[in-house]
Amino acid sequence: MDADVMTRPQAASGMTQAAPLLRVTDLTKSYGHVVGCRNVSFELRPGEVLGIVGESGSGKTTLLNAISGKLPPSAGKVEFDTSRFGLTDIYGLNEPDRRRMQREEWGFVHQNPRDGLRMRVSGGANVAEPLMNLGNRHYGQMRAATIEWLERVELDTRRIDDKPRNFSGGMQQRIQVARNLIHGPRLVFMDEPTGGLDVSVQARLLDLLRELVRDLGLAVIIVTHDMAVARLMADRLIVMKNGFVVETGLTDQVLDDPQHPYSQLLVSSVLQI
Amino acid sequence: MAYVAVKGGERAITNAHRWLAEDRRGDVAIPEIETDQIREQLSLSVDRVMSEGSCYDRDLAALAVKQARGDLPEAIFLTRAYRTTLPRFGASLPVETGQMAVRRRISAAFKDIPGGQVLGPTFDYTHRLLDFTLAANGETSVDRALEAEEPQAYPMATIASVFAHEDLLEPDTQTDEAPAPFDLTREPMAFPAGRDQRLQALARGDEGFLLSLAYSSQRGWGSTHPLCAEIRLGEVAVEFIPDELGFAIEIGELTLTECQMISTYGGGVDTAPQFARGYGLTFGHCERKAMSMAIVDRALRDAAAGEASAPCQDEEFVLYHSDNVEASGFVQHLKLPHYVDFQADLQLIRRQRRDYAERAAAMKEAAE
Amino acid sequence: MTARPNEPERYYNYAYLDEQTKRMIRRAILKALAIPGYQAPFGSREMPVPYGWGTGGIQLTAAIIGPDDVYKCIDQGADDTTNAVSIRRFFAQVADVATTEETGEATIIQTRHRIPEKGLTEGQVLVFQVPQPEPLRGLEARETETRAMHAYEEYGLQYVSLYESVAAHGYIASTVGYPTMIEERYLMSPSPIPKFDNPKLGQNPAILLFGAGREKRIYAVPPYTNVRSLDFEDHPFETQTWEEDCALCGAQESYLDEVVLDDSGERMFVCSDSNFCAERRAAGHAGPMAGHQLAALDKEPA
Ligand SMILES: Nc1ncnc2c1ncn2[C@@H]1O[C@H](COP(=O)(O)OP(=O)(O)OP(=O)(O)O)[C@@H](O)[C@H]1O
Ligand SMILES: [Mg+2]
């Protein structure tokens, strides 16, 4: 049995034998001649938070979009432990099944709330929508759940019926977080979730995110170029450069003792600030 | 005052039709206008009706203009409704506008081009002063246009051939084995639209709508900075291959206006920078329409390149709203009775007002 | 039933459309019946009446009508509204067909904005005129988007709008064209009928055909199909009711039109379904204003 475990890919990166929630194998995405990301492989276990870090243009967003079903890769596989079909290549699913799985089991927090919210619809309805997508047909229940979630993300519940544009950037981002957690997803993708925000607002939102993720036992893949965000949120890091993964390991290891020269540069550049 | 309920539809309709006929005729002391007068003297109205009515028949279009009392969208509608009942016996060969017997041909891109600039019959350099001699007795003397000093080159080189040797202009894509072109009069619009579908929709599209869209694109609502490479007006032959013969015969002649707009295209990963074109074609002499169409065609090509942001670049927006028969019908159908809907609205608004009053009263009470 | 007019000359094919076009429309109808609630695109023709005047319904009728049919046409529930008169005349002329105002007698009933009060029966076809076939259009303007939503059964947006309505008003404030779910698969616009008529859509013995000429779509509800008006468990679907009864026939459970009697706020409420009302009066029912001049006007003046 030991031998069996040794041959599994995650053994190489020191993972336990828990069944993976997500398995990415040799994922490559190119835009014509431009490399988006190349030959990326990793596994994610339930409840694990993986950070993807790297400088601007290193391929973080490309990788995240390819993993989350938004951007079909040029090569490679993305397998997810779906509740309906078990561990399945998501690009092998037909489109209705894939979209259903994305709706039911995933969340996606965009850097820009405009990309993740319906701007013409009230904040409350934005938060409740995933429940309706799952077939909830009880207004009162959904209303109560929405209020509970607005409280959890520390928003004034009296503003439940205001449109997103009447909220500040940080508040919009909280609505987006609530909208992406309310339906109990098993995996949440976040692309620079605090990217557009003021530093103090950022700190509070990050704290909040960390608490929620821990309380819910969520698996998260979070993209950031901010090492402080990575330190706070992630259990494990993937460091990208020019589309390649140059280093991967536990967050503390990577940040305190970076092996690859590029990681060293990234970490040191943060420390200088 | 008591209102009389509007019922008794049948008689009302018959009377309305009679009244309409009377109004169309106008003062009977004035001679009735004849359709050949319309055909010959309101020829640009006729051209527009043929173009947007998608039916090349000057007499029919003249009749439609007369029947519609000069309301061109109504005349276009009449023409379309007639056209749709006509049998189809086949499709002609593509007309060769390169072989056009040119009456007017100008290029804004080159000072001189092979074949030269031919001004032809245009309002362009007229001074827009009302000519009261036209009103005096309806008679005008027509001076024959002076013959051009040299006979016009025939066939006159197209702008594409002028550019051809340098590969500066994207070529006409000619595919012999291409499937039969989309037919918008037989198939519903589908998206993304092929260029054939788009050009058909634009050719049938409302001149005013396309004009405004083209204008918006020039003013910056869109990224096209077009240049008018060529406008030509003239006659082309229509050729058809009857099944029983198996070779092409000429079955008639069309007057067409063609416009080629060009604008620079910066090139991409696999393509060198080039001039890309927008294309406009109309029946008869509809220059404003042909130019607008060409600009909008070019603007819509940005959509395919994923660069759309302005209305004129949005395929669904443009193609779904360009048809004046559709637009006019839907806007004007609001005249039809909506009693049932309105009753439902009335009920709702009364309920909402009751709720509002109750809330207001409750708040007032709470405040006291 | 009126006698068939005997027009000696016909410039057009039977029922106006050429046979090729009729076949094309029938194929779309079959497709629509096979996938209840799905909007089948069709090559809608330019008709001799404007878009918005029932070009979709007219094409459906033209494709299915035959000389043995008995045709009824209503607008706002009434046989004598101008456009209903005009369309009925058209088919009497081009299809050589008997026409009727009696719901029970008709084989094809073309309608705009209402479903007759009297229950339909097997073998009858109800043809709806549809201005906008896409139930989601008011929420999402792009056809490419809404088509995807139907394909993936992603109707969250529709529920979101109901949710917002309840949040704003305390109830679902939609009154006409109230969205329906067909066999738990396709979201469908019932056309701008009042929600009062929605319950008549489900399990109806008749064939319900919907035609949108300008938008070039046909859809259908086959007989005995499940139709659910969207709602929430705690805000169930409800229909319109009136405190008044029909002033002419005393009906308590029909959809009423409000008729303005003078400019000082006097109103009377009468059945929107003129045939239903006339039949009731013929059977001896009377409302508080049974003698009003409107009662005399249901029959066309000669
Ligand atoms: N749609 C596209 N077409 C062409 N090239 C693209 C496209 N999207 C991304 N790229 C290229 O792929 C590479 C990776 O881009 P990506 O957006 O994934 O980087 P990133 O790490 O997310 O950067 P940032 O931190 O700035 O968001 C870059 O070179 C980028 O220019
Ligand atoms: Mg990025």
Side-chain angles (χ1 to χ4, degrees):
Chain A
M1 195 200 152
D2 275 359
D4 189 19
V5 170
M6 289 304 293
T7 60
R8 286 155 90 169
Q10 76 265 30
S13 55
M15 290 300 106
T16 67
Q17 59 267 55
L21 182 66
L22 181 82
R23 178 192 287 155
V24 174
T25 316
D26 288 334
L27 199 67
T28 295
K29 170 70 200 176
S30 36
Y31 305 99
H33 305 307
V34 181
V35 175
C37 65
R38 179 159 300 171
N39 288 332
V40 179
S41 301
F42 66 88
E43 287 190 356
L44 187 76
R45 287 165 301 143
E48 190 181 11
V49 178
L50 176 74
I52 301 176
V53 298
E55 66 186 354
S56 181
S58 57
K60 305 181 296 292
T61 298
T62 301
L63 177 60
L64 193 74
N65 287 342
I67 298 169
S68 59
K70 291 171 184 288
L71 186 68
S74 317
K77 267 202 308 202
V78 179
E79 292 161 293
F80 177 71
D81 182 19
T82 64
S83 54
R84 290 167 75 211
F85 312 106
L87 192 69
T88 311
D89 181 359
I90 63 160
Y91 288 102
L93 288 173
N94 64 36
E95 216 172 335
D97 282 339
R98 182 167 70 244
R99 287 171 73 126
R100 181 171 161 190
M101 185 272 294
Q102 287 170 302
R103 274 199 310 272
E104 293 178 352
E105 307 197 47
W106 290 0
F108 198 113
V109 179
H110 294 259
Q111 173 169 358
N112 184 346
R114 279 172 190 280
D115 297 330
L117 293 178
R118 293 192 193 276
M119 297 305 284
R120 284 160 60 177
V121 165
S122 69
N126 263 291
V127 175
E129 181 179 352
L131 297 179
M132 299 187 237
N133 285 336
L134 291 187
N136 191 321
R137 296 289 173 263
H138 195 286
Y139 175 83
Q141 279 172 12
M142 292 190 287
R143 189 80 174 169
T146 301
I147 289 172
E148 186 194 323
W149 270 96
L150 291 181
E151 280 165 357
R152 287 185 85 161
V153 298
E154 298 169 354
L155 278 170
D156 182 354
T157 55
R158 283 171 307 177
R159 301 197 53 189
I160 184 168
D161 294 323
D162 285 2
K163 298 274 193 291
R165 66 166 175 278
N166 300 335
F167 290 99
S168 71
M171 290 159 98
Q172 288 178 3
Q173 207 54 316
R174 284 159 197 266
I175 296 173
Q176 214 200 152
V177 169
R179 172 180 164 93
N180 277 286
L181 297 185
I182 191 169
H183 60 298
R186 300 163 66 216
L187 173 59
V188 177
F189 301 93
M190 302 184 184
D191 190 358
E192 308 270 13
T194 58
L197 302 176
D198 182 88
V199 181
S200 60
V201 180
Q202 240 187 49
R204 185 64 207 117
L205 184 61
L206 274 176
D207 268 351
L208 184 76
L209 275 178
R210 190 170 63 157
E211 281 163 32
L212 287 171
V213 166
R214 201 179 43 211
D215 292 352
L216 299 166
L218 272 181
V220 175
I221 300 183
I222 180 169
V223 158
T224 179
H225 61 267
D226 184 338
M227 293 306 130
V229 172
R231 167 94 74 186
L232 203 62
M233 296 289 299
D235 304 321
R236 205 152 53 92
L237 288 185
I238 282 180
V239 183
M240 297 193 69
K241 177 178 171 24
N242 294 338
F244 285 95
V245 173
V246 295
E247 182 162 354
T248 154
L250 296 176
T251 302
D252 291 344
Q253 275 171 13
V254 173
L255 293 185
D256 297 340
D257 182 19
Q259 298 300 304
H260 191 276
Y262 175 72
S263 313
Q264 290 165 358
L265 196 69
L266 264 187
V267 173
S268 65
S269 67
V270 170
L271 294 178
Q272 281 159 17
I273 291 173
Chain B
M1 183 195 137
Y3 295 118
V4 182
V6 185
K7 291 219 169 186
E10 189 114 22
R11 208 176 39 177
I13 289 175
T14 307
N15 278 332
H17 289 176
R18 289 196 189 127
W19 201 339
L20 174 71
E22 221 177 281
D23 267 9
R24 183 190 59 68
R25 178 60 184 86
D27 184 351
V28 290
I30 310 287
E32 179 156 359
I33 193 169
E34 287 170 26
T35 52
D36 25 352
Q37 292 174 327
I38 295 173
R39 187 191 63 220
E40 297 304 317
Q41 297 173 37
L42 298 181
S43 55
L44 296 184
S45 291
V46 165
D47 285 353
R48 179 170 173 201
V49 170
M50 292 196 305
S51 246
E52 291 172 38
S54 310
C55 184
Y56 195 95
D57 186 324
R58 305 198 75 83
D59 291 304
L60 210 61
L63 168 60
V65 171
K66 175 173 175 176
Q67 189 177 330
R69 305 166 63 191
D71 176 349
L72 297 188
E74 177 68 20
I76 290 162
F77 178 20
L78 286 167
T79 308
R80 294 255 196 105
Y82 177 74
R83 174 197 194 273
T84 195
T85 65
L86 297 175
R88 289 184 183 211
F89 55 88
S92 76
L93 296 178
V95 292
E96 293 285 355
T97 52
Q99 302 292 316
M100 180 184 279
V102 167
R103 283 193 280 142
R104 166 167 167 77
R105 187 280 200 109
I106 52 164
S107 169
F110 294 102
K111 182 153 195 256
D112 205 1
I113 49 174
Q117 308 269 15
V118 181
L119 221 41
T122 174
F123 289 124
D124 285 354
Y125 305 103
T126 62
H127 297 149
R128 268 52 166 217
L129 305 170
L130 278 175
D131 180 356
F132 291 99
T133 59
L134 288 176
N137 56 5
E139 288 287 310
T140 47
S141 69
V142 179
D143 298 329
R144 290 286 314 153
L146 294 174
E147 292 295 324
E149 279 175 19
E150 284 169 37
Q152 285 161 25
Y154 180 83
M156 202 177 272
T158 61
I159 199 74
S161 65
V162 173
F163 279 110
H165 59 282
E166 240 186 313
D167 188 34
L168 279 179
L169 184 67
E170 63 175 334
D172 286 320
T173 38
Q174 270 193 350
T175 42
D176 285 339
E177 60 296 353
F182 189 91
D183 184 347
L184 198 51
T185 66
R186 303 269 131 170
E187 294 164 67
M189 198 91 80
F191 294 96
R195 187 125 185 258
D196 48 355
Q197 180 185 335
R198 181 205 308 162
L199 288 173
Q200 269 176 50
L202 295 179
R204 287 159 62 85
D206 183 73
E207 176 175 319
F209 179 72
L210 295 183
L211 173 67
S212 295
L213 281 174
Y215 177 49
S216 72
S217 131
Q218 277 180 290
R219 280 196 70 257
W221 292 74
S223 60
T224 333
H225 301 287
L227 194 76
C228 186
E230 188 186 36
I231 294 170
R232 55 170 62 196
L233 160 73
E235 281 65 44
V236 297
V238 181
E239 292 186 314
F240 181 77
I241 305 180
D243 280 343
E244 51 276 40
L245 289 185
F247 55 84
I249 54 169
E250 199 176 307
I251 55 168
E253 192 181 76
L254 300 177
T255 300
L256 297 178
T257 308
E258 184 186 54
C259 174
Q260 303 263 10
M261 288 281 174
I262 59 175
S263 65
T264 50
Y265 166 63
V269 183
D270 321 308
T271 38
Q274 241 185 353
F275 288 110
R277 40 179 157 178
Y279 187 71
L281 186 74
T282 73
F283 286 151
H285 191 186
C286 302
E287 213 160 293
R288 190 188 295 118
K289 163 74 184 271
M291 292 178 76
S292 304
M293 174 178 171
I295 291 172
V296 175
D297 173 46
R298 176 64 188 87
L300 284 174
R301 303 184 65 183
D302 294 337
E307 289 163 14
S309 57
C312 70
Q313 296 168 312
D314 186 321
E315 182 171 87
E316 261 197 56
F317 179 80
V318 173
L319 299 191
Y320 263 137
H321 302 117
S322 60
D323 192 295
N324 57 23
V325 177
E326 290 176 4
S328 164
F330 199 46
V331 166
Q332 296 203 55
H333 105 282
L334 294 176
K335 293 183 282 199
L336 295 182
H338 286 77
Y339 324 137
V340 166
D341 324 32
F342 187 61
Q343 179 57 212
D345 283 351
L346 272 176
Q347 275 201 332
L348 179 65
I349 204 154
R350 283 178 185 144
R351 177 174 176 182
Q352 288 175 348
R353 286 174 65 88
R354 266 198 313 275
D355 294 349
Y356 174 82
E358 279 166 21
R359 271 201 310 275
M363 269 163 72
K364 204 171 155 212
E365 216 169 275
E368 280 162 7
Chain C
M1 201 187 295
T2 55
R4 292 174 183 174
N6 192 11
E7 299 283 304
E9 293 168 350
R10 292 199 188 287
Y11 296 99
Y12 295 100
N13 191 39
Y14 179 79
Y16 182 77
L17 294 175
D18 61 279
E19 294 304 313
Q20 283 294 338
T21 299
K22 287 185 193 172
R23 274 196 282 276
M24 175 273 294
I25 294 172
R26 288 177 198 141
R27 280 195 295 272
I29 293 173
L30 289 175
K31 189 169 182 178
L33 284 166
I35 318 172
Y38 167 75
Q39 299 165 47
F42 81 112
S44 175
R45 300 291 190 254
E46 249 121 4
M47 300 302 285
V49 300
Y51 290 116
W53 265 246
T55 52
I58 292 172
Q59 288 181 79
L60 282 173
T61 297
I64 60 172
I65 205 165
D68 297 332
D69 274 306
V70 180
Y71 180 66
K72 171 181 163 85
C73 187
I74 52 175
D75 186 348
Q76 315 296 301
D79 297 89
D80 62 351
T81 30
T82 38
N83 199 38
V85 169
S86 163
I87 294 172
R88 186 166 61 240
R89 258 186 179 186
F90 178 73
F91 278 109
Q93 226 165 53
V94 300
D96 198 13
V97 78
T99 61
T100 185
E101 295 193 359
E102 283 181 36
T103 301
E105 202 177 32
T107 56
I108 300 173
I109 303 172
Q110 185 168 329
T111 180
R112 178 168 166 264
H113 295 193
R114 277 308 313 274
I115 297 178
E117 305 292 359
K118 181 189 252 176
L120 302 176
T121 54
E122 283 182 18
Q124 288 187 302
V125 183
L126 185 59
V127 173
F128 292 78
Q129 299 171 200
V130 181
Q132 177 50 263
E134 180 47 70
L136 295 162
R137 185 63 70 237
L139 306 169
E140 167 57 57
R142 276 175 207 282
E143 171 72 5
T144 37
E145 290 291 323
T146 52
R147 271 184 88 79
M149 290 179 187
H150 288 294
Y152 302 130
E153 225 179 316
E154 288 177 358
Y155 295 132
L157 188 60
Q158 180 65 69
Y159 275 102
V160 161
S161 90
L162 300 184
Y163 177 100
E164 294 226 285
S165 182
V166 176
H169 305 287
Y171 49 88
I172 298 172
S174 171
T175 55
V176 293
Y178 190 103
T180 56
M181 181 61 75
I182 311 303
E183 286 292 340
E184 295 305 318
R185 175 58 185 86
Y186 281 98
L187 185 70
M188 187 191 90
S189 164
S191 87
I193 57 172
K195 63 181 176 177
F196 179 89
D197 285 338
N198 273 27
K200 301 173 191 164
L201 293 163
Q203 297 302 324
N204 197 313
I207 294 175
L208 312 182
L209 299 180
F210 298 78
R214 185 179 43 78
E215 297 283 345
K216 302 168 180 61
R217 297 288 186 274
I218 287 171
Y219 54 100
V221 176
Y224 304 109
T225 297
N226 286 321
V227 177
R228 180 169 63 82
S229 299
L230 299 193
D231 62 2
F232 294 115
E233 288 159 22
D234 47 342
H235 290 273
F237 172 75
E238 53 183 33
T239 60
Q240 287 104 338
T241 54
W242 281 261
E243 282 159 21
E244 299 81 0
D245 300 339
C246 172
L248 300 181
C249 78
Q252 299 180 329
E253 275 155 14
S254 77
Y255 192 89
L256 300 180
D257 273 345
E258 186 171 330
V259 179
V260 180
L261 294 177
D262 60 19
D263 49 10
S264 59
E266 265 314 288
R267 293 180 171 18
M268 75 192 267
F269 288 84
V270 297
C271 292
S272 112
D273 184 336
S274 56
N275 177 246
F276 177 77
C277 194
E279 281 189 353
R280 278 179 52 85
R281 276 179 279 128
H285 297 278
M289 299 175 75
H292 191 270
Q293 54 159 347
L294 270 182
L297 275 169
D298 322 309
K299 288 282 166 251
E300 282 286 318

